[in-house]
Amino acid sequence: MSEKQTVRLLDPLFTTDSMREIFSDRRRLQGMLDFEAALARALARAGVAPDASVAPIVAQCSADRFAMDVLAREAALAGNLAIPLVKALTAAVAKSDAQAAGFVHWGATSQDAIDTGLVLQLREALDLLQRELAQFSSPLARVAEKHQSTLLAGRTWLQQASPVTLGLKVAGWLDAIHRHQARLANARREVSTLQFGGAVGTLAALGDKSPAVAAALASELKLQLPSIPWHTHRDRFAEVATRLGLLVGTMGKIARDISLLAQTEVGEVLEPAESGRGGSSTLPHKRNPVGSAVVLAAAIRVPALVSVLLTAMVQEQERGLGGWHAEWETLPEIFLLAAGALAHLTHVVDGLEVFEEHMTHNLGATHGLILSEAVAIALAKHIGRSPAHQLVERAAHRALQSGRPLRDLLLEDQEVRARLSSAEIDGLLDPRNYTGSAASMIQQVLADEKKNR
Amino acid sequence: MSEKQTVRLLDPLFTTDSMREIFSDRRRLQGMLDFEAALARALARAGVAPDASVAPIVAQCSADRFAMDVLAREAALAGNLAIPLVKALTAAVAKSDAQAAGFVHWGATSQDAIDTGLVLQLREALDLLQRELAQFSSPLARVAEKHQSTLLAGRTWLQQASPVTLGLKVAGWLDAIHRHQARLANARREVSTLQFGGAVGTLAALGDKSPAVAAALASELKLQLPSIPWHTHRDRFAEVATRLGLLVGTMGKIARDISLLAQTEVGEVLEPAESGRGGSSTLPHKRNPVGSAVVLAAAIRVPALVSVLLTAMVQEQERGLGGWHAEWETLPEIFLLAAGALAHLTHVVDGLEVFEEHMTHNLGATHGLILSEAVAIALAKHIGRSPAHQLVERAAHRALQSGRPLRDLLLEDQEVRARLSSAEIDGLLDPRNYTGSAASMIQQVLADEKKNR
Amino acid sequence: MSEKQTVRLLDPLFTTDSMREIFSDRRRLQGMLDFEAALARALARAGVAPDASVAPIVAQCSADRFAMDVLAREAALAGNLAIPLVKALTAAVAKSDAQAAGFVHWGATSQDAIDTGLVLQLREALDLLQRELAQFSSPLARVAEKHQSTLLAGRTWLQQASPVTLGLKVAGWLDAIHRHQARLANARREVSTLQFGGAVGTLAALGDKSPAVAAALASELKLQLPSIPWHTHRDRFAEVATRLGLLVGTMGKIARDISLLAQTEVGEVLEPAESGRGGSSTLPHKRNPVGSAVVLAAAIRVPALVSVLLTAMVQEQERGLGGWHAEWETLPEIFLLAAGALAHLTHVVDGLEVFEEHMTHNLGATHGLILSEAVAIALAKHIGRSPAHQLVERAAHRALQSGRPLRDLLLEDQEVRARLSSAEIDGLLDPRNYTGSAASMIQQVLADEKKNR
Amino acid sequence: MSEKQTVRLLDPLFTTDSMREIFSDRRRLQGMLDFEAALARALARAGVAPDASVAPIVAQCSADRFAMDVLAREAALAGNLAIPLVKALTAAVAKSDAQAAGFVHWGATSQDAIDTGLVLQLREALDLLQRELAQFSSPLARVAEKHQSTLLAGRTWLQQASPVTLGLKVAGWLDAIHRHQARLANARREVSTLQFGGAVGTLAALGDKSPAVAAALASELKLQLPSIPWHTHRDRFAEVATRLGLLVGTMGKIARDISLLAQTEVGEVLEPAESGRGGSSTLPHKRNPVGSAVVLAAAIRVPALVSVLLTAMVQEQERGLGGWHAEWETLPEIFLLAAGALAHLTHVVDGLEVFEEHMTHNLGATHGLILSEAVAIALAKHIGRSPAHQLVERAAHRALQSGRPLRDLLLEDQEVRARLSSAEIDGLLDPRNYTGSAASMIQQVLADEKKNR
């Protein structure tokens, strides 16, 4: 059972091997077994169990020693995995050391093992995501820097509005990723908290030794010791889910942007070419934005999965009925989808093909109208904002009706010519002159990125 | 690869083997291959392909012939499973018959194979659920009939209100299941519809043969032929999801009822006892309502999954980007959870232990107050509704304050005694006399059940 | 209080006056009062109450007679609106006829009034939606017919794939609307069901008269009489929500299509121009797709609201605690959003500006590659599918690299020229010759539409 | 228009007046107008506009000056509120000062006003919630302290498990509230960020003055200045939604606990009595947990609304189409529901009636089995864990079968008697001796609370 999990048909498309490994069945067991091993040590440190009980227990705390299918079937009856696992672990320890077997799971309850085991998985998963986010921010910064002066049409409501730079757009993506890095770091800190309360949260079975055991256990697992057990307070788990939900939302935004820019009629970027990637069996000219599709699929699925964690928070008294169970597959699924989306998106941004000539071409699609605001503002300095706006609007409508360039109509307009020279008009209609603070905004985000490292 | 899928740790708890089989990777491939085989036959029937091309293609259309892990990896690049599958199928056919290979997938697009393949899986899954619903309605009807006169407290807002019968409660459950049976039958009919449109829905590659091929293909697969391809109109798939969402909601309601009745302090029912089921490793007196927990978990998860299908309906132009992909794992997951919940709930209802003595005992918990409405109505016939209500309310408040039975306070009240004899009061305070139309309502639902068979 | 409800700032953007009227506070009260009035009549018909009690009760059953703000404040304490309303109604009747007042709400419970009142609102709202769907299908059919031969690029994964016709696209929209019309008709039938069960669903307060009263009440309100009360079985309400969720999903798909076609770089359609509509304060050239934005917003919000109804189905015993309450604002909100989306979309489709010249222009964007499938199929008839595909692929790649038209490269290719004449190649590269069955599919949907009327 | 908003029928039940005020239509306008006023000042500070333009603009920036219904109708055409508002504001300013009118909204875009206006509302709403959370934590701490030794049955899976104290349960609630206080403080900090980017985020219309204007504007509004505008990066708004979602989840858990404890058969607590609160028109003995119902309704609704904000994050390019619009009503709705739930729950906890005698009585419901773990652990010290467990299990099963107290069966058991005296057994079966670290955990949480103040 130590071999890799079986790949399922859609796994490589939607997630990554490394995240699948963390949330594999084996690791789910191992998380619980790590708890049990640490508990054995903590009991000894606190003087509850003899030191001699530690080694025989720890020796058995390896997921590979257990028959996965048997545990699976028994869990269906028991209602959770810890009950059959603890039974099997106890039996395994008893074979080598009957006395030690008596201290297996001592003072703990199923939920302590399951919840803390999941905490251990989550901590690792958050570390993985954090590393991968760092690997994503790097090409983002590179593209933002390289294309800080690359002009393209800014689009609002899917209509061309005013010019932006590709660097500005990508810096906006990167700036959001910076926030997510901070959020994940915070979530890791919050969720790295021991759950240890015994049957109902009092740790009564350990009597007056319970504080010592709890402290030792937290120390063994390098987890925070909470003020009070949190078995039916699931806000830390749900919080992690929300953090990933936010991250996936941002990735969805980026993928939507890329896929829109990659449309045949826009043609400003393409996802990286690769043999077998995004091709079509019948249409030789197609390069489908497969990465964007995967990210967008995650952005549709994850918000609903986050809502499951929030709904599941309503857990009854000292152990939830259904709410607890609803978390077990859902929280891992969120991580799997987030990791898959991040991998695809990193690949896409890292190899993004940029077609500056198409950006330039599209900037001309409105024959100058995309710069009408620039002209209006220049005129306003002479004749006031309202008259200037009306003047440009008049020219713009004529341009739209006639299909002629805005430049020609401005040059023909006596009122305009009274204020602006032909050279000035040309300057105003040059998108390079109308990017405002884009460059300094990009620099600010790149500076943040450097600090972040 | 013909062997059973690997059991995953939580599968037996949350779903069933039979539903897992239908939505296994193997069957996902087989659905697509069934489409390809039927297409080969349809092309021949319509005279597009020679009859001789059919057998070589059909011979390869078996999921076991394909390397799952290779397809999985290639799908991650291609963006869907059909592209590598069609490539592999074509290659396999070519080995035996190069000419036949030329007709593999002829005129079709990836989405035709994927969508129609899923339709075939859904049809089978709906048939399975329908059979299992019939097996659920049977113990429901039995319990409703057996306990048509078993009295227990009706509870509103979790407070005792007025008496009901267990039969009435269970008949309410069964009546809802009847509606779900009709809904699933309807959903099966709607979803059993061929998707076949070629690259963009025109079937242009088949020229004027396309109507004939489409008709033959629908006939081969026993599917409805739609007026127009529906590749980016996903309402039929989403509809199936909503149908299951409704069913799971009802199951959640039933499980909530059972788990509340099974509380230690209520003790009116228990989930069936079974070795290893619902036990606790430390608390020997416990019998945890594991079945209810699983159903309630599904009732938390499935609504969110349904919302995914609805959100995913916004699919772009002639092929969705992300929305389509979001369906592939979500729709099966809904079926898996629904099937698991149904299996648990059927087991629970079938073996439900009923403790009539506790029901009787609990009916006495309010010392007669649960029947105050009955007394008020009897008095109202003599003195009008408002005075009657005030009279009983006064007695009820005294009973609550003093902890004495309502009966005693009624007997002491001169106004009451002027209207009602002691025997009449006893009759009014007997819950058997205050179940209204419960019996005939139960009979009506049982009659519906008989008609249903 | 008979005047129109105050318009709230975002109401005109997101919903319609007519749907707001149906789900106004006044109509919510009136729904409950209609229940109470009908109950008074039913009690008399069944001989439970004297005929003389009917008129005095019915006379007070008008929402305008009640102080909305007082009811609102009392409902916050009582936990529902029916408790203060029934109290106020009883007091009002008592002023004119003390005996009649004794029969107000007789045998019913709060939930009977609230649920049946809502059923009456839903029935009307579904009728309104149905009428508005008919008004939507009419311009859809018109556009589908008018543009049955209007060619544009079919797009998959947001990439140009093969040609389609605008008529085909719109016929696909219309075909989905036909399914929704059938679904809403079905939902109206299902939800038009009386809820009447008294305190716990037994109708015990009515004794042996309860079947007669229930039947008369259903008949008064023209509602179906169910086999058993359904107070904690909310599937009919949740079903209505799912039906609207499906409809909104389809509308979202249509709006997404339109807004993509309306992009500056595509320019194939525009939402209708109208003074003040979709303009920008600074950018004179913009016409924002406001209608599409509103529909897409609904398509994001409604799926989640549907999931609320499904989650809320888990209602306890004989009255839900929280689940019931969660429905009261959510179900109306779904109708309001659906109606708003439908009104915007009808307006958009009805006045849709179509720019055929841009469609033609965009069809040329790939310099013939959009028709490569057509060429490959023609060649396949001579040399087999695989060699044909390779041949075209080779030419296509050359076209992509060189930027030259596919036609030129085909003409230069000796292998191609050996099979196809220059005229044949021109025919194959004419999109008019590659629309497959589009025309007959459109006719089929238009025929469905005619039958539907 | 300065008067209070009209109360809607269900508002007092589901929300609070103070939160309704913050998210009233008037305040929505005022938020945008506060932005415009601050912009006027910032333009002057940066030397873009003359100082004389400030006063005339600021003077008009009062929501009461605008015709709400006109703006509402125009917003339905324009697609957002800012367009008609800026037009009306400009016209109003122009009446008194034509030159100043030219500087209204100068350099800004609709989204700057709408987003920043909403930020101002959110900041205030978070402050309000924070104050109300402080008022909630106070009775929580009081109840936790007062009942630190009040024993009741701990319940897992809705079954009695082991004893806990009421103080421990409430300290668990309070501990979660502490986390939410930290989260809301953090969210307030994050969301208090200026949005100011002009048409596409470059601030091009302000030329080289844009950094100065942006800084002055942030300073005027006491908001953070971001590295880059965030118009299509909605993670800060969505984050606020998730924070409230987490809070509502915890409140739902508390309400579920209370409503379960308040069940007729449990009777351990009741929501506070109040005239008109939770009564039933027909059942005089009922006190419905209205507060819990409202909180539970919010806990069903809010998770779905949070998912809307997450789904809506996928916003296109430089302005979202639909996603942006989906936020406008949803984010306020989350605040309204959270505030209503918090008000109800504070009221409930503050006046919670605790019935210690019922807690004691229920602790005896299992005739000692609730303490079987205590006995097993005591025996284990003599004979090892496994034999001890078996011994107690045997006695427990006998107790269950016979209905006799565990004590009697233990006393009759020779093996037990060989180890434990009768007095020891009595000590073990006394729940006061089996609360573990509950007391010190409570103290820890109360100490946290003191630090928090």
Side-chain angles (χ1 to χ4, degrees), chain A residues 102 104 155 157 169 179 183 202 205 210 227 235 239 243 253 256-257 315-318 325 377 385 437 448, chain D residues 102 104 155 157 169 179 183 202 205 210 227 235 239 243 253 256-257 315-318 325 377 385 437 448:
Chain A
V104 168
R155 288 145 178 125
W157 302 74
K169 187 188 288 275
R179 290 192 291 281
R183 284 186 190 116
T202 60
S210 67
S227 296
D235 52 294
E239 183 178 49
R243 275 22 204 132
K253 186 266 183 293
R256 177 69 57 84
D257 280 5
Q315 298 196 3
E316 292 82 5
Q317 309 291 14
E318 279 69 39
H325 303 74
I377 282 168
R385 186 193 171 215
S437 299
D448 296 344
Chain D
V104 169
R155 289 148 179 122
W157 304 74
K169 186 187 287 276
R179 291 193 290 280
R183 284 185 190 117
T202 59
S210 68
S227 296
D235 52 293
E239 182 179 50
R243 279 17 206 134
K253 185 269 182 293
R256 178 69 57 84
D257 280 5
Q315 299 195 3
E316 291 82 4
Q317 309 294 12
E318 280 68 40
H325 302 75
I377 281 169
R385 188 191 168 218
S437 298
D448 296 344

XYZ file of all heavy atoms in Angstrom, chain A residues 102 104 155 157 169 179 183 202 205 210 227 235 239 243 253 256-257 315-318 325 377 385 437 448, chain D residues 102 104 155 157 169 179 183 202 205 210 227 235 239 243 253 256-257 315-318 325 377 385 437 448:
452
model
N -2.567 -1.191 26.076
C -3.515 -0.564 26.984
C -3.445 0.953 26.960
O -4.361 1.624 27.443
N -2.844 2.716 24.068
C -3.202 3.244 22.756
C -4.449 4.134 22.884
O -5.434 3.731 23.522
C -3.479 2.085 21.772
C -4.148 2.624 20.500
C -2.202 1.343 21.439
N -10.748 47.126 -21.246
C -12.129 46.793 -21.619
C -13.010 46.775 -20.387
O -12.692 46.114 -19.408
C -12.183 45.425 -22.297
C -11.588 45.429 -23.714
C -10.892 44.150 -24.031
N -10.349 44.116 -25.394
C -9.063 43.851 -25.673
N -8.189 43.613 -24.695
N -8.649 43.834 -26.912
N -17.147 46.237 -19.218
C -18.397 45.671 -19.753
C -18.125 44.932 -21.073
O -18.977 44.847 -21.934
C -19.446 46.742 -20.033
C -19.858 47.612 -18.875
C -19.137 48.617 -18.314
C -21.094 47.569 -18.151
N -19.850 49.205 -17.308
C -21.060 48.597 -17.185
C -22.239 46.775 -18.235
C -22.105 48.850 -16.304
C -23.285 47.039 -17.377
C -23.214 48.051 -16.420
N -2.245 45.193 -16.097
C -3.209 44.115 -15.911
C -2.576 42.996 -15.081
O -3.167 42.516 -14.094
C -3.652 43.599 -17.276
C -4.759 42.593 -17.264
C -5.003 41.986 -18.643
C -5.653 42.953 -19.603
N -7.146 42.974 -19.461
N -1.989 39.318 -1.624
C -2.956 39.246 -0.521
C -3.258 37.803 -0.160
O -3.398 37.453 1.006
C -4.246 39.990 -0.889
C -4.052 41.503 -0.954
C -5.376 42.245 -1.034
N -6.078 42.070 -2.292
C -5.797 42.713 -3.428
N -4.788 43.555 -3.475
N -6.516 42.513 -4.514
N -2.967 35.747 3.317
C -4.123 35.038 3.872
C -3.797 33.576 4.180
O -4.220 33.042 5.195
C -5.287 35.085 2.871
C -5.982 36.411 2.825
C -7.212 36.382 1.930
N -7.695 37.744 1.756
C -7.728 38.401 0.609
N -7.354 37.811 -0.508
N -8.163 39.632 0.560
N -13.781 17.409 27.984
C -13.292 17.711 29.333
C -11.947 17.073 29.627
O -11.321 17.373 30.635
C -14.269 17.183 30.386
O -14.388 15.747 30.212
C -15.639 17.827 30.251
N -10.936 11.641 31.286
C -10.284 10.344 31.460
C -8.836 10.489 31.917
O -8.250 9.545 32.449
C -10.354 9.543 30.151
N -4.442 15.930 32.625
C -4.840 16.334 31.277
C -4.111 17.577 30.775
O -3.694 17.604 29.607
C -6.355 16.474 31.165
O -6.827 17.538 31.942
N -7.201 27.360 24.014
C -7.723 27.591 25.362
C -8.699 26.501 25.781
O -8.882 26.229 26.958
C -8.433 28.951 25.413
O -7.523 29.994 25.184
N -14.877 26.630 12.958
C -14.553 27.849 12.223
C -13.140 27.826 11.656
O -12.895 28.386 10.592
C -14.759 29.090 13.097
C -14.042 28.992 14.427
O -14.415 28.133 15.253
O -13.083 29.762 14.646
N -12.643 28.334 7.883
C -11.832 29.487 7.490
C -10.827 29.098 6.395
O -10.640 29.831 5.421
C -11.086 30.043 8.694
C -10.277 31.286 8.375
C -9.569 31.845 9.604
O -8.905 31.070 10.329
O -9.692 33.052 9.840
N -10.449 30.746 2.644
C -9.196 31.296 2.113
C -8.918 30.725 0.727
O -8.499 31.453 -0.189
C -8.038 30.944 3.045
C -7.787 31.847 4.228
C -8.873 32.696 4.734
N -8.307 33.835 5.451
C -8.662 35.091 5.280
N -9.626 35.400 4.455
N -8.086 36.060 5.951
N -10.660 34.835 -12.151
C -10.616 36.148 -12.819
C -9.464 36.186 -13.838
O -9.619 36.657 -14.962
C -10.439 37.232 -11.750
C -10.530 38.658 -12.290
C -9.191 39.243 -12.634
C -9.322 40.697 -13.103
N -10.015 40.888 -14.369
N -10.300 34.016 -16.791
C -11.300 34.653 -17.649
C -10.635 35.708 -18.521
O -10.872 35.782 -19.736
C -12.409 35.278 -16.784
C -13.500 36.039 -17.519
C -14.426 35.176 -18.372
N -15.101 34.127 -17.669
C -16.245 34.248 -16.970
N -16.852 35.397 -16.898
N -16.791 33.206 -16.387
N -9.781 36.520 -17.929
C -9.053 37.541 -18.695
C -8.269 36.902 -19.839
O -8.347 37.333 -20.994
C -8.067 38.284 -17.781
C -8.752 39.367 -16.944
O -9.985 39.467 -16.999
O -8.040 40.090 -16.227
N -22.968 22.370 14.265
C -22.768 21.016 14.775
C -23.291 20.907 16.207
O -23.061 21.771 17.047
C -21.292 20.636 14.661
C -20.869 20.644 13.183
C -19.563 19.917 12.902
O -18.960 19.334 13.781
N -19.138 19.962 11.647
N -23.955 19.813 16.441
C -24.734 19.667 17.668
C -23.870 19.389 18.896
O -23.009 18.499 18.877
C -25.730 18.512 17.505
C -26.839 18.782 16.497
C -26.417 18.534 15.050
O -25.275 18.050 14.823
O -27.209 18.833 14.151
N -24.142 20.106 19.956
C -23.600 19.840 21.288
C -22.132 19.428 21.271
O -21.305 20.181 20.775
C -24.465 18.744 21.961
C -25.973 19.040 21.921
C -26.389 20.217 22.791
O -25.561 21.000 23.245
N -27.683 20.380 22.976
N -21.827 18.224 21.763
C -20.417 17.868 21.889
C -19.896 17.019 20.717
O -18.727 16.581 20.704
C -20.181 17.146 23.221
C -20.058 18.112 24.396
C -21.370 18.818 24.744
O -22.421 18.152 24.687
O -21.350 20.031 25.015
N -19.322 15.007 9.350
C -19.104 14.082 8.251
C -19.033 14.794 6.897
O -18.357 14.336 5.981
C -20.233 13.044 8.217
C -20.382 12.268 9.493
N -20.928 12.828 10.631
C -20.051 11.007 9.823
C -20.935 11.923 11.593
N -20.404 10.812 11.146
N -10.313 65.831 -22.292
C -9.633 66.436 -21.145
C -8.710 67.565 -21.588
O -8.639 68.619 -20.937
C -8.904 65.340 -20.352
C -9.950 64.613 -19.511
C -7.824 65.941 -19.463
C -9.467 63.355 -18.903
N -15.060 71.647 -18.873
C -15.287 70.222 -19.043
C -16.516 69.916 -19.881
O -16.486 69.092 -20.788
C -15.426 69.580 -17.657
C -15.532 68.094 -17.687
C -15.979 67.601 -16.323
N -16.304 66.206 -16.336
C -17.272 65.685 -15.612
N -17.999 66.451 -14.826
N -17.530 64.388 -15.698
N -0.860 56.605 -14.482
C 0.115 56.144 -13.502
C 0.445 54.670 -13.649
O 1.002 54.068 -12.720
C -0.417 56.377 -12.090
O -0.635 57.735 -11.862
N 6.554 45.438 -3.944
C 5.897 44.567 -2.951
C 6.373 43.128 -3.129
O 6.625 42.410 -2.161
C 4.376 44.596 -3.131
C 3.756 45.961 -2.872
O 4.426 46.816 -2.270
O 2.587 46.156 -3.276
N -17.741 71.616 -13.344
C -16.804 70.963 -14.243
C -15.834 70.041 -13.534
O -15.178 69.223 -14.191
N -16.799 68.073 -10.859
C -17.508 66.949 -10.238
C -17.015 65.639 -10.861
O -16.936 65.540 -12.094
C -19.027 67.089 -10.447
C -19.739 65.795 -10.054
C -19.572 68.262 -9.632
N -23.320 15.481 25.074
C -24.015 14.655 24.077
C -23.220 14.615 22.779
O -22.863 15.664 22.235
C -25.412 15.225 23.808
C -26.377 15.020 24.977
C -27.378 16.132 25.075
N -28.319 15.922 26.175
C -28.485 16.795 27.169
N -27.803 17.919 27.206
N -29.365 16.543 28.123
N -23.296 12.778 18.884
C -24.247 12.135 17.962
C -25.671 12.201 18.525
O -26.471 11.298 18.293
C -23.903 10.662 17.722
C -22.546 10.348 17.213
C -21.379 10.396 17.908
C -22.187 9.876 15.901
N -20.334 9.990 17.131
C -20.795 9.659 15.888
C -22.917 9.625 14.746
C -20.120 9.194 14.768
C -22.250 9.159 13.626
C -20.861 8.950 13.653
N -19.511 24.399 28.053
C -20.204 24.538 26.768
C -20.212 26.005 26.349
O -19.854 26.340 25.214
C -21.620 24.003 26.920
C -22.429 23.936 25.642
C -23.882 23.551 25.905
C -24.048 22.097 26.268
N -24.119 21.226 25.069
N -12.423 34.454 18.418
C -11.781 34.352 17.097
C -12.497 35.240 16.076
O -11.868 35.872 15.224
C -11.758 32.899 16.629
C -10.815 32.028 17.450
C -10.562 30.685 16.812
N -11.708 29.806 16.828
C -12.106 29.070 17.876
N -11.464 29.142 19.032
N -13.157 28.283 17.789
N -11.162 38.210 13.667
C -11.369 38.155 12.214
C -12.033 39.425 11.686
O -11.663 39.930 10.622
C -12.245 36.944 11.863
C -11.517 35.639 11.929
C -12.389 34.475 11.450
N -11.705 33.225 11.755
C -12.154 32.297 12.575
N -13.330 32.422 13.148
N -11.441 31.209 12.804
N -5.959 53.327 -14.756
C -4.675 54.010 -14.952
C -4.668 55.410 -14.364
O -3.624 56.031 -14.257
C -4.365 54.165 -16.452
O -5.434 54.924 -17.051
C -4.264 52.816 -17.131
N -6.767 60.221 -16.769
C -7.365 61.550 -16.924
C -6.716 62.572 -16.006
O -6.837 63.766 -16.232
C -8.874 61.467 -16.650
N -2.085 62.263 -10.733
C -2.902 61.185 -10.174
C -2.382 60.649 -8.840
O -3.179 60.425 -7.927
C -3.104 60.072 -11.206
O -1.914 59.395 -11.470
N -1.615 49.573 -3.570
C -0.530 49.647 -4.547
C -1.048 49.882 -5.958
O -0.357 50.430 -6.807
C 0.285 48.349 -4.536
O 0.906 48.179 -3.286
N -11.487 40.395 -4.044
C -11.223 39.519 -2.911
C -11.470 40.200 -1.576
O -11.869 39.544 -0.617
C -9.792 38.976 -2.986
C -8.745 40.060 -3.158
O -8.725 40.704 -4.216
O -7.946 40.264 -2.218
N -13.893 38.603 0.935
C -13.330 38.222 2.235
C -14.243 38.657 3.380
O -14.482 37.893 4.324
C -11.947 38.862 2.419
C -11.285 38.478 3.719
C -9.903 39.096 3.862
O -9.755 40.313 3.659
O -8.970 38.351 4.184
N -15.951 36.267 6.271
C -15.824 36.497 7.721
C -17.191 36.451 8.386
O -17.341 35.884 9.470
C -15.175 37.857 7.969
C -13.679 37.974 7.880
C -12.927 36.926 7.213
N -11.561 36.881 7.745
C -10.926 35.785 8.101
N -11.499 34.609 7.981
N -9.709 35.815 8.562
N -24.450 27.239 15.341
C -24.087 26.152 16.248
C -24.651 26.436 17.662
O -25.214 25.553 18.317
C -22.567 26.022 16.293
C -22.026 24.857 17.106
C -21.752 25.175 18.547
C -21.174 23.987 19.312
N -22.064 22.860 19.483
N -28.393 26.021 17.609
C -28.767 24.605 17.555
C -28.652 23.997 18.954
O -29.553 23.289 19.415
C -27.867 23.866 16.551
C -28.081 22.379 16.412
C -29.391 21.956 15.765
N -29.665 22.471 14.460
C -29.222 21.962 13.302
N -28.478 20.883 13.306
N -29.537 22.507 12.149
N -27.551 24.289 19.635
C -27.372 23.773 21.000
C -28.532 24.195 21.899
O -29.133 23.371 22.607
C -26.067 24.315 21.603
C -24.831 23.562 21.124
O -24.969 22.675 20.258
O -23.726 23.850 21.609
N -14.400 38.429 -12.581
C -14.856 39.636 -13.272
C -13.919 39.957 -14.431
O -12.705 39.922 -14.319
C -14.977 40.796 -12.284
C -16.016 40.443 -11.199
C -16.517 41.599 -10.372
O -16.139 42.736 -10.620
N -17.367 41.310 -9.412
N -14.547 40.339 -15.516
C -13.842 40.441 -16.779
C -12.965 41.697 -16.872
O -13.427 42.801 -16.605
C -14.844 40.462 -17.943
C -15.572 39.155 -18.156
C -16.763 38.996 -17.210
O -17.071 39.931 -16.449
O -17.390 37.912 -17.227
N -11.735 41.507 -17.331
C -10.827 42.587 -17.719
C -10.891 43.786 -16.773
O -10.649 43.633 -15.574
C -11.144 43.019 -19.169
C -11.201 41.859 -20.172
C -9.862 41.185 -20.386
O -8.913 41.395 -19.661
N -9.774 40.319 -21.384
N -11.260 44.967 -17.293
C -11.202 46.167 -16.462
C -12.561 46.540 -15.847
O -12.682 47.541 -15.157
C -10.635 47.335 -17.269
C -9.112 47.302 -17.364
C -8.570 46.141 -18.209
O -9.179 45.844 -19.258
O -7.565 45.522 -17.818
N -22.314 43.377 -10.504
C -23.711 43.639 -10.175
C -24.247 42.658 -9.135
O -25.127 42.998 -8.347
C -24.560 43.547 -11.448
C -24.128 44.476 -12.523
N -23.000 44.252 -13.290
C -24.643 45.653 -12.965
C -22.863 45.239 -14.169
N -23.829 46.099 -13.987
N -11.943 3.397 33.674
C -10.600 3.942 33.860
C -10.068 3.626 35.254
O -8.892 3.287 35.424
C -10.623 5.452 33.567
C -10.602 5.629 32.044
C -9.425 6.153 34.193
C -10.889 7.017 31.589
N -6.345 -1.857 30.727
C -7.437 -1.164 30.053
C -8.451 -2.111 29.413
O -9.662 -1.936 29.554
C -6.826 -0.266 28.979
C -7.832 0.647 28.322
C -7.183 1.285 27.118
N -8.133 1.954 26.277
C -8.088 1.960 24.972
N -7.112 1.341 24.337
N -9.003 2.588 24.266
N -10.734 18.721 33.056
C -10.161 20.063 33.107
C -11.182 21.146 32.792
O -10.801 22.285 32.495
C -9.030 20.180 32.080
O -7.997 19.284 32.372
N -9.015 35.078 28.595
C -8.928 35.625 27.231
C -9.917 36.775 27.069
O -9.617 37.806 26.476
C -9.265 34.550 26.182
C -8.272 33.398 26.171
O -7.171 33.539 26.736
O -8.608 32.342 25.590
